[in-house]
Amino acid sequence: MRTALLQSSGRPGSVAVNLKVLDEAAGRAAAAGAGLLVAPEMFLTGYAIGDDIAHLAESADGESADAIAETAGRHGVAIAYGYPERSADAVFNSVQLISADGSRLANYRKTHLFGGFERDHFTPGDQPVVQAELGGLRVGLMICYDVEFPENVRAHALAGTDLLLVPTAQMHPFQFVAESLVPVRAFENQMYIAYVNRVGQEGEFEFVGLSALAGPDGVARARAGRGEELVLADADPVALAASREANPYLQDRRPGLYGSLI
């Protein structure tokens, strides 16, 4: 499945502008033959927007979700996007996956919050593995800091995730996560990982870009630079099956030895 990674910060604080950016990117992705477009963490509203996070938060089936479903259906491309999700009195840092026909496939709430900023504005999610079937692949959802916990990604591997989508807001000086850690996670868990970042200065944060689609061989199929960019690469189920046959990490595990990990 051809996958498009939208490396952009849109316009922080403006949902209307960000919906237009997403629409334009969906058109470009579809024209390039992509079946899936992935946008960064908190793309709908912006990340470093302080108390506006709570003011702009929406339910998973809110007006913006409807607008993105219309965009997905009109362009014929599935869309995964980060947004602040309101549920009762809580606000979650979430990612939603909408199919190419506009139906809502899956919604994930970030389980590992990074730093005081996120802990001040979000409630952590409690469901570690969220998946959906898309384009012949089992697609999993995760957000930024979550991928830095090996247990998280291994849980997805054991649940059969083929392509892990990781909208992110990766900031300086942690660019080694994009450059080194993500490809290693893809290799050790024998999956594709789409790691899609914000760019530029936003409040106190400097986002480093470097979005990538890493393959099960630990090699980035596509790698963005430090600016606004739409990059495309293929997640191939045939190549994935061959790689898993050659690298039997999951079969060679000895879970009985790992009890001390919990």
Side-chain angles (χ1 to χ4, degrees), residues 36 56 104 240:
L36 171 63
L56 295 175
R104 294 170 52 235
L240 179 59

Side-chain angles (χ1 to χ4, degrees), residues 177-201:
V177 173
E179 294 170 334
S180 302
L181 186 148
V182 168
V184 169
R185 286 282 181 272
F187 178 72
E188 68 189 5
N189 290 287
Q190 287 299 292
M191 62 174 60
Y192 289 95
I193 299 180
Y195 188 77
V196 188
N197 201 8
R198 306 179 67 84
V199 292
Q201 195 74 33

Side-chain angles (χ1 to χ4, degrees), residues 47-105:
Y47 180 90
I49 59 173
D51 291 340
D52 282 346
I53 289 173
H55 298 150
L56 295 175
E58 298 184 26
S59 65
D61 59 354
E63 290 184 5
S64 293
D66 289 343
I68 294 170
E70 191 279 331
T71 293
R74 179 159 37 83
H75 292 293
V77 61
I79 299 175
Y81 66 99
Y83 74 108
E85 178 193 357
R86 178 167 295 283
S87 179
D89 293 330
V91 176
F92 299 92
N93 184 337
S94 297
V95 54
Q96 181 151 228
L97 175 63
I98 293 178
S99 75
D101 66 8
S103 59
R104 294 170 52 235
L105 294 179

